Amino acid sequence: MTKLKVAGHLLIGAAVLAAGSAAAETQSEVVYSHKAWQVQVVAFDDGSLTCLAEVSDGGRSFTMWSGADELVQLQFYDESWDLGEDQTADLKVEVDSRGPWSLTEAELHKQSVFFDIPDSDDGVAFMAEVMGGNRLYLSNDDGEPVSDYSLAGSSASVSALIECVEALKADSNPFK
């Protein structure tokens, strides 16, 4: 899908979602799909919009969230987890066998792990690894495996996520 098509779908989706936001619930619309990945625009009940790229496998998923501020948050979800609330843990992720990345003080919340990717060269390098990788492995700080996720289709999907964020930035109004 070309940039214009993704941006056009996003803006149409955003308009549809904004019109339905009076129901005071989170709504989403798929703007791009490739292999096991989906890119969505999400409207929250406070009127804010964000984009996400997600690969899921049954009750497990790996998601990258980003809004017009271009900050990226990772979310690892597994419906079988019971992680409690308001806790943190040091974790590791590895793309293929390229060496682990440390997720220092990742936030644990019920069935999810959240981590903000730094706005730095390291953050860009991590995203490039995800885009070029085949599999992402999540482990605890000792390196013991916890979960793994397919990255097949991630290059096109992360590119669509970036286009989605660019469309949000182009459509941002600080007085909404």
Side-chain angles (χ1 to χ4, degrees), residues 129-149:
E129 276 193 25
V130 168
M131 291 177 77
N134 295 308
R135 198 129 201 106
L136 184 140
Y137 300 93
L138 175 66
S139 61
N140 65 22
D141 199 35
D142 294 330
E144 297 169 2
V146 174
S147 197
D148 61 281
Y149 307 88

Side-chain angles (χ1 to χ4, degrees), residues 24-146:
E25 61 184 56
T26 302
Q27 298 180 0
S28 66
E29 183 169 317
V30 174
V31 294
Y32 182 81
S33 290
H34 184 62
K35 298 190 179 185
W37 285 82
Q38 286 193 340
V39 177
Q40 300 176 31
V41 60
V42 180
F44 293 95
D45 57 2
D46 66 359
S48 63
L49 295 172
T50 193
C51 300
L52 69 86
E54 179 176 77
V55 62
S56 62
D57 177 18
R60 302 175 325 121
S61 62
F62 166 55
T63 309
M64 292 176 281
W65 296 84
S66 188
D69 60 6
E70 298 181 333
L71 299 176
V72 178
Q73 183 178 65
L74 305 179
Q75 178 183 8
F76 301 93
Y77 172 85
D78 190 315
E79 65 185 17
S80 70
W81 291 342
D82 184 9
L83 306 175
E85 296 183 47
D86 301 322
Q87 298 181 51
T88 62
D90 294 339
L91 308 172
K92 294 181 181 172
V93 295
E94 185 170 14
V95 175
D96 300 330
S97 57
R98 298 179 183 163
W101 292 87
S102 295
L103 305 184
T104 307
E105 296 189 19
E107 297 175 29
L108 309 179
H109 185 76
K110 298 183 181 181
Q111 289 84 26
S112 293
V113 172
F114 296 96
F115 184 78
D116 295 334
I117 295 178
D119 185 15
S120 66
D121 290 343
D122 283 344
V124 171
F126 175 78
M127 293 296 289
E129 276 193 25
V130 168
M131 291 177 77
N134 295 308
R135 198 129 201 106
L136 184 140
Y137 300 93
L138 175 66
S139 61
N140 65 22
D141 199 35
D142 294 330
E144 297 169 2
V146 174

Side-chain angles (χ1 to χ4, degrees), residues 11 49 68-69 165-176:
L11 295 177
L49 295 172
D69 60 6
V165 169
E166 290 298 318
L168 286 183
K169 286 174 32 183
D171 191 42
S172 63
N173 176 348
F175 299 106
K176 284 185 179 178

Side-chain angles (χ1 to χ4, degrees), residues 146-163:
V146 174
S147 197
D148 61 281
Y149 307 88
S150 171
L151 295 179
S154 60
S155 181
S157 298
V158 172
S159 293
L161 174 68
I162 292 166
E163 291 175 16

